[in-house]
Amino acid sequence: VRTDPVASRLARLLGAELRLAQGDGSAALDLLPSGAKPQDKSSRAELFLTAQAQLQQGATGSVASTAPSKTTAGTLTTITQQLQTWVADHPRDAQAWQLLSSTYAAEGRTLSSIRAQAEVNVAQLDYPAALSRFKTAQEWARKGGAGTDHFEASIVDTRTRQVESIVREQALER
């Protein structure tokens, strides 16, 4: 496939996916291009596989030490930012929201992770489940959970009101 760029890309993606299935996140990262731009539709696969590999690498790295290395934390932050950009452009991409939720959790951003889980439900048009998640996030923020971000809490409040409105409309239609 070396002479065919499209086939070569697909072979690399398949190789990365196989390495991830084997639990070898660093080998998967070696097969993926660095610096994939999330705005490029062709890079969705690269972005998602890179995020999964970074998460897997962080999970296996945490067994050896209790704190993630600065390099792992930095690359995870970069992936989180790229995923945030992706979901801003593609708010109905449930898989992207799920990966974003996982990266937030790996960074210790619980409130953001819960909100992203709620957005997964919104993307899947499961508004009652989304409302439940948003209310959980509101409760977390009220209790002042570790690392509560007031900006994120404001977003959660706004999204809760929006989803409550949708749930009420759906109830009236029945």
Side-chain angles (χ1 to χ4, degrees), residues 7 9-10 22 25 36 40 44 76 80 87-88 96-97 107 110 115 118 124 127 136 145 148 158 160 170:
R9 174 183 172 265
L10 293 174
Q22 294 170 343
D40 180 12
R44 181 181 188 268
L76 191 57
T80 300
V87 297
W97 280 110
E107 291 176 341
T110 306
R115 175 186 161 232
Q124 295 171 338
Y127 297 111
T136 300
T148 300
T158 300
T160 301
Q170 285 181 340

Side-chain angles (χ1 to χ4, degrees), residues 11-154:
R12 278 193 329 276
L13 293 175
L14 178 60
E17 198 169 344
L18 289 170
R19 298 301 187 279
L20 283 171
Q22 294 170 343
D24 193 353
S26 63
L29 284 172
D30 291 341
L31 293 171
L32 296 168
S34 60
K37 297 184 192 250
Q39 294 82 0
D40 180 12
K41 289 183 181 179
S42 67
S43 70
R44 181 181 188 268
E46 285 88 348
L47 175 63
F48 287 18
L49 288 171
T50 301
Q52 291 169 352
Q54 289 293 338
L55 286 167
Q56 192 176 80
Q57 206 174 25
T60 57
S62 65
V63 173
S65 68
T66 55
S69 69
K70 289 180 183 179
T71 306
T72 304
T75 53
L76 191 57
T77 300
T78 301
I79 291 296
T80 300
Q81 290 169 347
Q82 289 178 338
L83 286 168
Q84 288 171 330
T85 301
W86 182 268
V87 297
D89 292 338
H90 306 88
R92 297 270 185 215
D93 191 339
Q95 186 179 9
W97 280 110
Q98 187 62 52
L99 278 171
L100 186 57
S101 174
S102 297
T103 61
Y104 282 149
E107 291 176 341
R109 297 172 58 187
T110 306
L111 181 61
S112 298
S113 178
I114 296 169
R115 175 186 161 232
Q117 290 170 7
E119 297 293 355
V120 169
N121 295 120
V122 169
Q124 295 171 338
L125 306 178
D126 186 357
Y127 297 111
L131 183 58
S132 175
R133 288 282 186 195
F134 281 126
K135 288 188 181 220
T136 300
Q138 282 182 319
E139 188 62 29
W140 175 268
R142 273 191 212 103
K143 288 183 179 178
T148 300
D149 176 6
H150 296 290
F151 182 73
E152 187 72 28
S154 296

